[in-house]
Amino acid sequence: MKLFVLAVLAACCCLQGHATETYTEDLLLVPLPADGKVLLQFEFEMRRPQDNGTFAYNYHLFPRQLGEIARRYGVAHLDLAFTQGTWRETRWGPAPTTAQGIGAEVVAQLADTADADAQWAGLTSALSGVFCASLNFVDSQSTTRPRLAASAGGTLWHAHLPRENVCTENLTPWIKQLPCQAQSGLGALLNPHRLFDMHFHSMAVSLESNASDLSYRQRLSVVLDAQGTRLSLRDLVGRVLAGPCAAASRSTLRIAASTDIQINPPADHTYLSSDTRHVQVYDLQQHPHMEDIDVVYNAEMVQALPMASIAAHRYVTGHGGGGSSGGIETILTNRRNTPVTVAYFDTLPWYLRMYLHTLKVHTTDSDGHTGLLKPTHMLFTPAVDRGRPAVLELALELPPLSRSVLRYDFDKGFLKYSEHPPDANRGFNIAPAVITYQLAANGTGADRPLFCTAGSACTVRVHTEPALASLPTPDFSMPYNVITFTSTILALFFGRIFNLLTRDFAVLAPGNRKAAS
């Protein structure tokens, strides 16, 4: 009897600790203009209070492995994104918050410790195991420490692996972190066979730790083909809703369109977003038996949304692999009527030796006047051969309605034959540059990311396209030619010597030749 009472009391204590954890799930469906595509953006968020006492290691909804990673490595903020495909801003409008550069990108703010390098290496190795990714290949040659974008309270670490591919091996552990996984709620719509048959795919997680609580947010953005002018969840992802997740305090499905659409069953309510889109909202907890929706719209009537304020594109200049030099050209466009202060962050691998004295920024205003644009702040970290990349950070104030061109030159280094990838003639990947600017609480809807809270300030990050640099490539066929040539000579030499050593030579008289034959 005493054991039973103790067990009940322990269960009550655990439930009291777990009751403070919350979980919400949202799905946004957006018909895209121009080419009949549809954007699906999932967002799952879990929160738990910070507790250093009895319930510090008791987890109910929050993923325990992420909580222990945050505690062990002193993570104040973490962003991890896996992206495949390119977001076409000119066709689809402003990019979602998860539209990072192609590949895998890790950004973390860690507490300052004596063994900071070991902390960063341990964090990337732990994330590599959790998400079945190749983040364990993050080393000193791909790691940088941005300073302009860093905030007080720790060191900001950044790494990008442009060659990292996204596949179901990454999605499976991502789904398992959800309280209901793929059994119910919006997680039941995560069908890998359809989600990877897409034009754009970005899967991201965000971990935030402060003195009061610990929050973990999972986002998934995919661009799929629409089957005609009718949309349904079954046609898009091959699955239907299986009821709301019992652990969710909020479960909503939203449909945003710039034109009138017909939806069956009717939505619970409609509101007008900051970017003038009509958003139809379903509360799935009020519709536990709803399996699918039927959306009828005219793809030709879908209006293009206003372009974002800042656009960035980057190119590699110079000759091909035979050239010993080249350059980088980045075009920054400010579409606002007011100046915008941006932070430009760019990295180059050590074998592309940047010349800082060649850096120039020219800007052209709306009247066609061209002049030099001086950075308000600049930080440059030179590269170390086989040690660290070169890092360039600039604070620029872009004039209104202007087009600014940033250029610098570099020399191409020579690599050892063992340092070339298997497809060396394809070129070497260069991580995209990142442009960051602040969006005020009253900012325009075109700048505001899809899940950025209205009425609050937001940080907008714009990624350029990744680039390919061709380096002098050795003739990898020469070892094969040498081996075959040497083997042929050895075979002829060995056969001749072997015959000489093994044959028995005898002198025969002229009359005994027929008998000997």
Side-chain angles (χ1 to χ4, degrees):
M1 185 65 182
K2 293 182 179 180
L3 294 176
F4 176 75
V5 173
L6 292 175
V8 172
L9 292 176
C12 293
C13 293
C14 291
L15 289 175
Q16 183 179 0
H18 295 156
T20 54
E21 294 189 4
T22 60
Y23 168 66
T24 59
E25 55 182 12
D26 300 279
L27 170 60
L28 179 65
L29 187 152
V30 184
L32 298 176
D35 49 5
K37 303 292 188 299
V38 177
L39 169 67
L40 292 180
Q41 180 153 338
F42 297 83
E43 180 175 283
F44 308 92
E45 184 176 7
M46 287 155 276
R47 289 182 176 270
R48 77 184 305 264
Q50 293 281 20
D51 191 347
N52 297 322
T54 307
F55 304 106
Y57 297 96
N58 292 339
Y59 292 86
H60 180 49
L61 302 176
F62 200 94
R64 181 186 181 93
Q65 52 190 355
L66 273 302
E68 293 185 352
I69 286 176
R71 179 184 296 271
R72 178 173 180 178
Y73 298 107
V75 178
H77 181 81
L78 170 67
D79 286 321
L80 171 62
F82 302 91
T83 304
Q84 185 174 351
T86 302
W87 180 267
R88 304 180 182 276
E89 184 188 20
T90 56
R91 292 186 179 182
W92 302 338
T97 54
T98 56
Q100 312 292 341
I102 296 176
E105 183 184 26
V106 188
V107 181
Q109 184 172 349
L110 307 181
D112 294 326
T113 58
D115 56 345
D117 293 333
Q119 291 285 94
W120 169 248
L123 174 63
T124 54
S125 297
L127 295 175
S128 176
V130 170
F131 294 99
C132 296
S134 302
L135 301 178
N136 55 309
F137 287 100
V138 172
D139 55 10
S140 60
Q141 297 186 25
S142 56
T143 299
T144 58
R145 301 185 187 184
R147 288 176 285 177
L148 284 182
S151 58
T155 302
L156 189 64
W157 298 76
H158 176 272
H160 197 108
L161 298 177
R163 295 177 64 93
E164 180 71 14
N165 293 320
V166 188
C167 61
T168 55
E169 291 182 356
N170 309 120
L171 182 63
T172 300
W174 192 87
I175 295 176
K176 288 185 177 180
Q177 295 172 6
L178 302 176
C180 296
Q181 299 187 9
Q183 303 302 318
S184 63
L186 297 178
L189 301 176
L190 300 176
N191 183 5
H193 299 287
R194 292 293 183 89
L195 295 181
F196 286 95
D197 183 15
M198 46 63 197
H199 299 271
F200 174 82
H201 178 104
S202 184
M203 183 177 64
V205 298
S206 178
L207 183 65
E208 190 83 25
S209 178
N210 52 46
S212 59
D213 62 357
L214 184 65
S215 65
Y216 180 63
R217 183 174 298 175
Q218 299 176 248
R219 289 185 176 129
L220 177 66
S221 301
V222 291
V223 176
L224 305 172
D225 283 316
Q227 304 296 329
T229 59
R230 302 182 71 94
L231 298 178
S232 67
L233 296 177
R234 186 187 298 275
D235 294 336
L236 291 175
V237 298
R239 293 183 180 179
V240 295
L241 294 169
C245 178
S249 59
R250 185 184 75 239
S251 181
T252 60
L253 168 62
R254 294 183 290 168
I255 303 173
S258 57
T259 184
D260 293 334
I261 57 177
Q262 300 178 6
I263 305 179
N264 186 34
D268 296 330
H269 64 276
T270 304
Y271 68 90
L272 189 65
S273 65
S274 58
D275 52 9
T276 67
R277 285 186 292 188
H278 298 274
V279 182
Q280 316 274 351
V281 182
Y282 291 91
D283 187 353
L284 298 182
Q285 293 180 334
Q286 303 297 325
H287 304 276
H289 303 293
M290 187 177 72
E291 294 184 350
D292 205 347
I293 57 172
D294 185 28
V295 180
V296 180
Y297 75 105
N298 187 352
E300 298 180 355
M301 297 298 293
V302 178
Q303 301 175 2
L305 295 174
M307 304 298 291
S309 296
I310 304 298
H313 301 281
R314 190 178 66 166
Y315 311 95
V316 176
T317 62
H319 301 285
S324 61
S325 62
I328 293 290
E329 180 175 299
T330 305
I331 300 176
L332 304 175
T333 304
N334 180 17
R335 301 188 180 103
R336 284 190 190 177
N337 294 320
T338 58
V340 178
T341 301
V342 301
Y344 178 84
F345 175 79
D346 197 0
T347 61
L348 277 186
W350 64 267
Y351 44 80
L352 299 179
R353 299 183 176 92
M354 181 191 305
Y355 291 114
L356 188 62
H357 71 279
T358 63
L359 174 65
K360 291 182 175 60
V361 184
H362 296 270
T363 184
T364 304
D365 58 18
S366 57
D367 297 329
H369 300 148
T370 302
L372 288 176
L373 180 63
K374 184 178 180 181
T376 58
H377 194 68
M378 180 173 64
L379 295 173
F380 176 67
T381 304
V384 176
D385 286 358
R386 296 174 180 84
R388 71 185 182 199
V391 180
L392 176 64
E393 298 180 75
L394 301 175
L396 300 170
E397 185 175 353
L398 303 180
L401 301 176
S402 64
R403 181 180 184 270
S404 303
V405 180
L406 184 150
R407 295 188 183 93
Y408 59 83
D409 298 332
F410 59 77
D411 272 346
K412 301 177 182 179
F414 289 91
L415 299 178
K416 301 177 182 179
Y417 79 94
S418 58
E419 294 175 334
H420 287 269
D423 52 349
N425 292 295
R426 173 182 175 271
F428 288 77
N429 295 84
I430 303 177
V434 183
I435 295 87
T436 306
Y437 64 98
Q438 298 293 327
L439 178 64
N442 57 352
T444 61
D447 288 308
R448 189 167 295 277
L450 291 175
F451 277 98
C452 187
T453 305
S456 62
C458 284
T459 300
V460 182
R461 302 177 70 209
V462 180
H463 289 71
T464 65
E465 302 87 353
L468 279 176
S470 298
L471 267 67
T473 306
D475 185 2
F476 290 102
S477 65
M478 283 304 297
Y480 171 76
N481 297 335
V482 172
I483 291 173
T484 54
F485 182 71
T486 306
S487 300
T488 303
I489 294 177
L490 288 177
L492 295 174
F493 176 78
F494 174 79
R496 191 64 178 267
I497 298 299
F498 182 80
N499 288 334
L500 292 176
L501 294 176
T502 57
R503 282 186 176 182
D504 187 14
F505 294 92
V507 178
L508 299 177
N512 295 331
R513 290 180 179 178
K514 293 183 179 181
S517 60

